[in-house]
Amino acid sequence: MDTSTFKRLWEELHDIGRTEQGGYRRYAWSEADLACRNWFRRQAERRDMEVESDRNGNLYAWWGTWRTGEAVLTGSHFDSVPDGGAYDGPLGIVSAFLAVDVLREQGARPRRPIGIAAFTEEEGARFGVPCLGTRLMTGAIDPERARRLADADGATLGQAMEENNADAGVLGPDTERLAHLAAFVELHIEQGRALDAETAPVGVADAIRPHGRWRLTFTGEGNHAGTTLLPDRCDPMLTFAFTVLAARKEARLAGGVATVGRAEIDPGATNAIPGRVRAWLDARAPDEATLGQILTGLESKMHERAGRDGTLAAIETETQTGTVEFDPALRDRLATALGGAPTLPTGAGHDAGVLAAHIPTAMLFVRNRTGVSHAPAETATDDDCAAGVDALAAALRELAC
Ligand code: HGY
Ligand code: MN
Ligand code: MN
């Protein structure tokens, strides 16, 4: 793939959902998401690929008709975390269209249908459940629960879909399409720096480490910041602050990671002791036992501290994903097809992680020299991205031609 060809298509998405700080705010069913969807449709039309949207709001472009065969699907997601980078998600979709171009320039005549997917709400940034589009597709979430998921303004997924003329009444498993998928290969920017150490532009994933999201609620007594004596306070902010530090310590001691990047303080007044603090914990570990150890240790220390603060603390699991082992035969077949590409695990969740329980699934990672992701500074070189397109074309050729 010629780097300038990659750059030209890549830059078509540059301004969609971009903030002044240079990050992206592309939330499911938002204006930015619709602009990405329209871009997707134009790319498909330019390539005479049939476009369809499934019952869950996932978009597909097809080279060949999937209903007749065992299709090979690639693709990723458009949506971002707040102020996320440009590459996490969109790189997999742009690379997929360019990989189709490479195959066609090579005169490939696929014996299987090839599809490109844009899965909805992978980050869970708007409705709180990551990989929502593939969880719905595979029956991993109750459609009624999904319909009622609400964003920060109280708008539900159902309402957001209806506003965009998408029928939220049909959300649910997509068994027919799943039954016609022989494999799914997702190309994604690496979220880490392992490939830089390997001096390899592209790697093949072997596993996704266990991870999850927990909602923390700390309840105390709202009161006056100036007139309430310290011994008389039941301040949930103290319990919250302690819990954030305890999460970090439990993770460090156990060999995992824990993050609290989002909190809501009620009422959020400078001169009032808060009545309630809600926060979200993201914890990940090399294995499920370690992840469990982090949560157990944290929960007991959190309650012990709440007792001292005179507050109440609660922890609720929002999503939890065990270790995902990608199909070893597919992993090795692609690593060989890519000339012996390195294989590596990831600590990041992906739609591929959801689909891996249903169909043979693989991921290709494109080198990220700084490892930064979920931040405006996320980047990959055009050369490495072009190498990623060639790798994806080779993978599709190996599986579909
Ligand atoms: O949060 C994740 O691991 C992924 O980037 N959605
Ligand atoms: Mn992400
Ligand atoms: Mn992603």
Side-chain angles (χ1 to χ4, degrees):
M1 164 62 41
D2 173 62
T3 305
S4 59
T5 306
F6 167 78
K7 210 171 157 68
R8 197 166 36 251
L9 190 61
W10 178 245
E11 286 181 346
E12 288 187 15
L13 287 175
H14 181 267
D15 295 334
I16 299 179
R18 194 165 190 271
T19 66
E20 275 149 42
Q21 294 73 26
Y24 287 84
R25 296 197 168 199
R26 293 171 178 158
Y27 304 141
W29 301 109
S30 66
E31 208 178 302
D33 187 28
L34 297 179
C36 288
R37 287 169 178 268
N38 292 336
W39 178 88
F40 183 95
R41 292 181 188 283
R42 288 196 303 278
Q43 295 311 312
E45 281 150 19
R46 275 186 204 166
R47 295 168 176 81
D48 290 329
M49 297 175 82
E50 187 203 342
V51 181
E52 56 172 0
S53 179
D54 70 9
R55 61 175 44 162
N56 299 306
N58 301 309
L59 263 185
Y60 302 87
W62 291 102
W63 180 8
T65 45
W66 60 269
R67 281 186 174 77
T68 57
E70 294 272 287
V72 174
L73 186 66
T74 183
S76 192
H77 60 95
F78 281 122
D79 68 302
S80 71
V81 296
D83 298 343
Y87 294 78
D88 174 351
L91 182 64
I93 297 172
V94 170
S95 302
F97 281 113
L98 290 171
V100 164
D101 296 347
V102 168
L103 289 177
R104 287 178 173 178
E105 280 153 24
Q106 293 169 345
R109 302 175 64 77
R111 56 189 166 74
R112 293 178 187 277
I114 291 177
I116 300 174
F119 292 119
T120 187
E121 185 72 344
E122 188 276 344
E123 296 292 1
R126 182 173 180 188
F127 296 106
V129 172
C131 303
L132 187 57
T134 43
R135 287 176 196 262
L136 279 163
M137 178 184 188
T138 58
I141 185 170
D142 170 60
E144 194 44 44
R145 175 185 168 215
R147 222 182 326 271
R148 288 201 307 269
L149 290 172
D151 66 13
D153 300 325
T156 66
L157 172 67
Q159 289 162 339
M161 290 181 73
E162 303 293 342
E163 276 166 22
N164 289 285
N165 306 315
D167 178 5
V170 295
L171 287 175
D174 194 349
T175 37
E176 188 193 10
R177 188 176 273 103
L178 262 181
H180 282 282
L181 297 181
F184 174 62
V185 184
E186 178 171 4
L187 180 140
H188 203 283
I189 185 170
E190 184 195 359
Q191 293 162 305
R193 280 183 298 171
L195 289 175
D196 199 37
E198 294 263 358
T199 64
V202 179
V204 182
D206 52 22
I208 294 178
R209 296 197 189 99
H211 58 283
R213 298 179 178 198
W214 288 263
R215 187 173 61 249
L216 307 170
T217 306
F218 304 95
T219 312
E221 285 173 13
N223 212 325
H224 194 294
T227 56
T228 313
L229 300 179
L230 294 184
D232 297 340
R233 294 181 182 213
C234 301
D235 184 349
M237 190 64 102
L238 295 185
T239 319
F240 164 55
F242 169 85
T243 302
V244 173
L245 292 172
R248 169 63 176 258
K249 184 173 180 184
E250 291 299 316
R252 178 171 53 79
L253 294 176
V257 290
T259 313
V260 177
R262 179 184 162 206
E264 289 170 3
I265 298 153
D266 293 320
T270 303
N271 56 353
I273 302 166
R276 185 186 75 169
V277 177
R278 288 203 311 170
W280 282 264
L281 169 72
D282 178 312
R284 313 198 188 198
D287 55 69
E288 290 165 40
T290 303
L291 187 58
Q293 182 190 328
I294 292 169
L295 267 291
T296 307
L298 177 64
E299 197 163 354
S300 71
K301 291 177 177 58
M302 177 183 79
H303 286 304
E304 192 272 327
R305 176 70 201 217
R308 277 193 275 142
D309 294 335
T311 58
L312 289 175
I315 183 167
E316 271 178 82
T317 305
E318 287 203 334
T319 55
Q320 189 164 355
T321 305
T323 302
V324 172
E325 298 287 347
F326 287 115
D327 184 293
L330 182 58
R331 174 201 62 204
D332 296 345
R333 186 175 169 192
L334 294 187
T336 306
L338 300 186
T343 58
L344 63 158
T346 179
H350 298 280
D351 290 306
V354 175
L355 292 174
H358 301 269
I359 55 175
T361 297
M363 288 194 78
L364 304 182
F365 290 131
V366 172
R367 177 167 48 190
N368 173 345
R369 291 179 190 267
T370 64
V372 170
S373 184
H374 283 191
E378 179 187 69
T379 187
T381 66
D382 292 336
D383 285 348
D384 285 348
C385 292
V389 172
D390 288 334
L392 184 57
L396 296 176
R397 191 169 47 245
E398 171 69 21
L399 299 175
C401 299

PDB file of all heavy atoms in Angstrom, residues 188-200:
ATOM      1  N   HIS A 188      -6.429  -3.173  14.359  1.00  0.00           N
ATOM      2  CA  HIS A 188      -6.574  -2.127  15.402  1.00  0.00           C
ATOM      3  C   HIS A 188      -5.201  -1.552  15.725  1.00  0.00           C
ATOM      4  O   HIS A 188      -4.192  -2.258  15.675  1.00  0.00           O
ATOM      5  CB  HIS A 188      -7.166  -2.781  16.661  1.00  0.00           C
ATOM      6  CG  HIS A 188      -7.863  -1.830  17.570  1.00  0.00           C
ATOM      7  ND1 HIS A 188      -7.190  -0.987  18.412  1.00  0.00           N
ATOM      8  CD2 HIS A 188      -9.180  -1.564  17.760  1.00  0.00           C
ATOM      9  CE1 HIS A 188      -8.076  -0.272  19.115  1.00  0.00           C
ATOM     10  NE2 HIS A 188      -9.283  -0.595  18.733  1.00  0.00           N
ATOM     11  N   ILE A 189      -5.178  -0.294  16.067  1.00  0.00           N
ATOM     12  CA  ILE A 189      -3.895   0.252  16.527  1.00  0.00           C
ATOM     13  C   ILE A 189      -3.536  -0.457  17.822  1.00  0.00           C
ATOM     14  O   ILE A 189      -4.405  -0.729  18.662  1.00  0.00           O
ATOM     15  CB  ILE A 189      -3.967   1.779  16.727  1.00  0.00           C
ATOM     16  CG1 ILE A 189      -2.572   2.328  17.100  1.00  0.00           C
ATOM     17  CG2 ILE A 189      -5.011   2.199  17.770  1.00  0.00           C
ATOM     18  CD1 ILE A 189      -2.463   3.833  17.094  1.00  0.00           C
ATOM     19  N   GLU A 190      -2.267  -0.786  17.994  1.00  0.00           N
ATOM     20  CA  GLU A 190      -1.853  -1.396  19.253  1.00  0.00           C
ATOM     21  C   GLU A 190      -2.026  -0.372  20.362  1.00  0.00           C
ATOM     22  O   GLU A 190      -1.737   0.809  20.181  1.00  0.00           O
ATOM     23  CB  GLU A 190      -0.386  -1.839  19.167  1.00  0.00           C
ATOM     24  CG  GLU A 190       0.066  -2.572  20.433  1.00  0.00           C
ATOM     25  CD  GLU A 190       1.566  -2.713  20.554  1.00  0.00           C
ATOM     26  OE1 GLU A 190       2.285  -2.262  19.639  1.00  0.00           O
ATOM     27  OE2 GLU A 190       2.019  -3.270  21.569  1.00  0.00           O
ATOM     28  N   GLN A 191      -2.536  -0.823  21.505  1.00  0.00           N
ATOM     29  CA  GLN A 191      -2.697   0.090  22.658  1.00  0.00           C
ATOM     30  C   GLN A 191      -1.651  -0.359  23.678  1.00  0.00           C
ATOM     31  O   GLN A 191      -1.931  -1.097  24.598  1.00  0.00           O
ATOM     32  CB  GLN A 191      -4.131   0.020  23.169  1.00  0.00           C
ATOM     33  CG  GLN A 191      -5.101   0.598  22.121  1.00  0.00           C
ATOM     34  CD  GLN A 191      -6.544   0.197  22.332  1.00  0.00           C
ATOM     35  OE1 GLN A 191      -6.855  -0.973  22.414  1.00  0.00           O
ATOM     36  NE2 GLN A 191      -7.424   1.180  22.372  1.00  0.00           N
ATOM     37  N   GLY A 192      -0.441   0.030  23.401  1.00  0.00           N
ATOM     38  CA  GLY A 192       0.732  -0.427  24.151  1.00  0.00           C
ATOM     39  C   GLY A 192       1.927  -0.314  23.218  1.00  0.00           C
ATOM     40  O   GLY A 192       1.804   0.136  22.078  1.00  0.00           O
ATOM     41  N   ARG A 193       3.102  -0.753  23.701  1.00  0.00           N
ATOM     42  CA  ARG A 193       4.323  -0.529  22.894  1.00  0.00           C
ATOM     43  C   ARG A 193       5.090  -1.818  22.611  1.00  0.00           C
ATOM     44  O   ARG A 193       6.274  -1.783  22.283  1.00  0.00           O
ATOM     45  CB  ARG A 193       5.257   0.413  23.673  1.00  0.00           C
ATOM     46  CG  ARG A 193       4.855   1.872  23.565  1.00  0.00           C
ATOM     47  CD  ARG A 193       5.820   2.761  24.277  1.00  0.00           C
ATOM     48  NE  ARG A 193       5.851   2.456  25.714  1.00  0.00           N
ATOM     49  CZ  ARG A 193       6.755   2.983  26.551  1.00  0.00           C
ATOM     50  NH1 ARG A 193       7.706   3.778  26.085  1.00  0.00           N
ATOM     51  NH2 ARG A 193       6.728   2.705  27.826  1.00  0.00           N
ATOM     52  N   ALA A 194       4.434  -2.958  22.687  1.00  0.00           N
ATOM     53  CA  ALA A 194       5.178  -4.220  22.515  1.00  0.00           C
ATOM     54  C   ALA A 194       5.774  -4.323  21.111  1.00  0.00           C
ATOM     55  O   ALA A 194       6.906  -4.759  20.928  1.00  0.00           O
ATOM     56  CB  ALA A 194       4.248  -5.397  22.773  1.00  0.00           C
ATOM     57  N   LEU A 195       5.046  -3.860  20.112  1.00  0.00           N
ATOM     58  CA  LEU A 195       5.536  -4.003  18.732  1.00  0.00           C
ATOM     59  C   LEU A 195       6.737  -3.095  18.482  1.00  0.00           C
ATOM     60  O   LEU A 195       7.619  -3.413  17.690  1.00  0.00           O
ATOM     61  CB  LEU A 195       4.419  -3.700  17.729  1.00  0.00           C
ATOM     62  CG  LEU A 195       3.314  -4.748  17.648  1.00  0.00           C
ATOM     63  CD1 LEU A 195       2.197  -4.288  16.714  1.00  0.00           C
ATOM     64  CD2 LEU A 195       3.875  -6.100  17.194  1.00  0.00           C
ATOM     65  N   ASP A 196       6.794  -2.009  19.194  1.00  0.00           N
ATOM     66  CA  ASP A 196       7.939  -1.098  19.015  1.00  0.00           C
ATOM     67  C   ASP A 196       9.209  -1.811  19.489  1.00  0.00           C
ATOM     68  O   ASP A 196      10.241  -1.794  18.847  1.00  0.00           O
ATOM     69  CB  ASP A 196       7.712   0.181  19.836  1.00  0.00           C
ATOM     70  CG  ASP A 196       8.616   1.311  19.326  1.00  0.00           C
ATOM     71  OD1 ASP A 196       8.815   1.388  18.092  1.00  0.00           O
ATOM     72  OD2 ASP A 196       9.171   2.047  20.159  1.00  0.00           O
ATOM     73  N   ALA A 197       9.064  -2.523  20.590  1.00  0.00           N
ATOM     74  CA  ALA A 197      10.220  -3.285  21.113  1.00  0.00           C
ATOM     75  C   ALA A 197      10.578  -4.418  20.138  1.00  0.00           C
ATOM     76  O   ALA A 197      11.720  -4.768  19.933  1.00  0.00           O
ATOM     77  CB  ALA A 197       9.852  -3.865  22.477  1.00  0.00           C
ATOM     78  N   GLU A 198       9.533  -4.953  19.486  1.00  0.00           N
ATOM     79  CA  GLU A 198       9.784  -6.051  18.530  1.00  0.00           C
ATOM     80  C   GLU A 198      10.281  -5.505  17.193  1.00  0.00           C
ATOM     81  O   GLU A 198      10.569  -6.271  16.275  1.00  0.00           O
ATOM     82  CB  GLU A 198       8.452  -6.783  18.267  1.00  0.00           C
ATOM     83  CG  GLU A 198       7.870  -7.505  19.451  1.00  0.00           C
ATOM     84  CD  GLU A 198       8.234  -8.984  19.429  1.00  0.00           C
ATOM     85  OE1 GLU A 198       8.892  -9.406  18.468  1.00  0.00           O
ATOM     86  OE2 GLU A 198       7.865  -9.691  20.375  1.00  0.00           O
ATOM     87  N   THR A 199      10.270  -4.211  17.036  1.00  0.00           N
ATOM     88  CA  THR A 199      10.561  -3.540  15.746  1.00  0.00           C
ATOM     89  C   THR A 199       9.757  -4.177  14.610  1.00  0.00           C
ATOM     90  O   THR A 199      10.257  -4.438  13.528  1.00  0.00           O
ATOM     91  CB  THR A 199      12.085  -3.615  15.388  1.00  0.00           C
ATOM     92  OG1 THR A 199      12.419  -4.998  15.203  1.00  0.00           O
ATOM     93  CG2 THR A 199      12.936  -3.032  16.494  1.00  0.00           C
ATOM     94  N   ALA A 200       8.487  -4.433  14.901  1.00  0.00           N
ATOM     95  CA  ALA A 200       7.609  -4.994  13.861  1.00  0.00           C
ATOM     96  C   ALA A 200       6.439  -4.034  13.656  1.00  0.00           C
ATOM     97  O   ALA A 200       5.836  -3.585  14.632  1.00  0.00           O
ATOM     98  CB  ALA A 200       7.078  -6.357  14.301  1.00  0.00           C
TER      99      ALA A 200
END
